[in-house]
């Protein structure tokens, strides 16, 4: 829905290129990340415990992408910082819910977060986000299982979750690549149309200038013809007067 909104908005505003869409997408994801931080803040105020630590890391994860969103940067580092933030927020929710039976349900937001990277129209952050999520599951399943899976589960659960993340990354990557190609073709077609319009305007201006020069030349020729005729008539009149005087 967010991607559809951004594409719809691109037809009504000044979003005319991949960079513009990248900037708008980064801002949208950053806003969603700060909403996640506010949710963790509410949980920390009401329950305390792991939610407080999760809140601190959530805010830290948001700082760099927020700066990039504010400065409208579109470098590769922006994509990777957003991917890191997107992978960190669900992981912090899972950590904050480690004492709750609802912890396993927080894993669904990994898929939501990974899908949000599609709006960047870039394959690299999707791959980076998928790798970070898989590394998070694998590492914590070995070091601190309670931080990632309620009641344990370890490697068997990782072997179930990781392929799902990889498959989703593959699908989202295909969409991102296809969308990028479509937007580039659209931008190229728009540029060609603009060039054709400018060429038409130039040809029209040239034609108008030629017509103006032709009219000026015709006017000059008519004046010269008139002056020559007047001179000829004057000469004839003078000759007739001389002849009459002679007679």
């Amino acid at each position: 829905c967010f991607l559809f909104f951004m594409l719809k908005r691109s037809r009504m505003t000044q979003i005319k290129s991949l960079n513009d869409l990248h900037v708008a997408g980064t801002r949208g994801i950053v806003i969603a990340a700060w909403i996640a931080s506010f949710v963790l803040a509410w949980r920390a105020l009401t329950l305390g415990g792991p939610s407080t630590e999760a809140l601190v890391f959530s805010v830290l994860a948001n700082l760099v992408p927020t700066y990039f969103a504010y400065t409208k940067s579109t470098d590769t580092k922006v994509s990777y910082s957003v991917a890191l933030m997107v992978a960190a927020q669900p992981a912090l929710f899972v950590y904050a819910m480690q004492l709750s039976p609802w912890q396993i349900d927080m894993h669904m937001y990994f898929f939501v977060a990974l899908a949000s990277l599609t709006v960047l129209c870039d394959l690299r952050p999707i791959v980076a986000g998928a790798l970070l999520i898989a590394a998070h599951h694998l590492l914590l399943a070995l070091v601190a299982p309670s931080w990632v899976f309620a009641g344990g589960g370890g490697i068997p659960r990782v072997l179930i979750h990781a392929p799902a993340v990889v498959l989703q990354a593959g699908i989202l990557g295909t969409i991102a690549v296809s969308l990028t190609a479509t937007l580039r073709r659209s931008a190229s077609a728009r540029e060609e149309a603009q060039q054709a319009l400018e060429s038409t305007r130039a040809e029209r201006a040239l034609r108008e200038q030629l017509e103006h020069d032709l009219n000026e030349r015709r006017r000059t020729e008519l004046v010269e013809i008139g002056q020559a005729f007047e001179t000829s008539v004057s000469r004839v009149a003078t000759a007739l007067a001389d002849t009459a005087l002679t007679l």
Side-chain angles (χ1 to χ4, degrees):
C1 291
F2 183 75
L3 177 60
F4 174 78
F5 170 76
M6 296 305 301
L7 293 176
K8 191 71 174 178
R9 183 171 177 266
S10 68
R11 298 180 180 180
M12 300 181 291
T13 62
Q14 298 301 317
I15 299 179
K16 297 180 179 180
S17 66
L18 282 173
N19 286 341
D20 294 336
L21 189 59
H22 191 283
V23 170
T26 300
R27 287 181 175 178
I29 297 173
V30 167
I31 291 173
W34 280 110
I35 292 175
S37 297
F38 282 121
V39 173
L40 285 174
W42 169 80
R43 182 173 174 82
L45 290 174
T46 55
L47 299 177
S51 297
T52 304
E53 300 172 358
L55 172 61
V56 173
F57 285 101
S58 176
V59 172
L60 292 176
N62 293 344
L63 293 180
V64 174
T66 300
Y67 170 77
F68 287 141
Y70 177 76
T71 57
K72 298 182 180 180
S73 301
T74 57
D75 297 337
T76 304
K77 59 178 181 261
V78 179
S79 299
Y80 290 139
S81 66
V82 172
L84 177 60
M85 179 184 67
V86 161
Q89 294 297 343
L92 293 170
F93 269 87
V94 171
Y95 170 77
M97 297 288 286
Q98 62 181 285
L99 303 178
S100 170
W102 296 94
Q103 184 190 38
I104 191 65
D105 298 285
M106 295 297 102
H107 283 260
M108 292 187 294
Y109 288 97
F110 282 110
F111 298 104
V112 177
L114 192 60
S116 69
L117 295 174
T118 310
V119 300
L120 300 181
C121 297
D122 192 350
L123 178 63
R124 292 170 296 182
I126 295 175
V127 174
L131 292 176
L132 288 171
I133 293 171
H136 162 265
H137 280 52
L138 179 61
L139 181 62
L140 293 186
L142 296 173
V143 178
S146 62
W147 290 11
V148 64
F149 293 120
I155 299 302
R157 275 187 168 176
V158 173
L159 295 178
I160 293 176
H161 286 227
V165 172
V166 172
L167 289 174
Q168 186 192 21
I171 296 172
L172 295 177
T174 302
I175 295 174
V177 171
S178 177
L179 183 60
T180 300
T182 300
L183 291 176
R184 285 177 176 171
R185 286 196 298 269
S186 177
S188 177
R190 184 166 55 249
E191 184 177 354
E192 291 177 359
Q194 184 65 27
Q195 292 177 353
L197 179 60
E198 293 176 356
S199 177
T200 301
R201 290 175 178 174
E203 291 177 359
R204 182 183 302 172
L206 179 61
R207 184 172 62 253
E208 292 176 353
Q209 183 63 37
L210 291 175
E211 291 177 353
H212 179 268
D213 294 343
L214 181 60
N215 291 333
E216 289 294 328
R217 188 179 299 109
R218 288 177 178 176
R219 187 178 297 108
T220 301
E221 291 176 353
L222 288 175
V223 170
E224 291 176 352
I225 291 173
Q227 292 176 348
F229 179 74
E230 183 179 358
T231 301
S232 177
V233 171
S234 177
R235 288 176 180 176
V236 171
T238 301
L240 288 175
D242 292 342
T243 301
L245 181 61
T246 302
L247 293 174

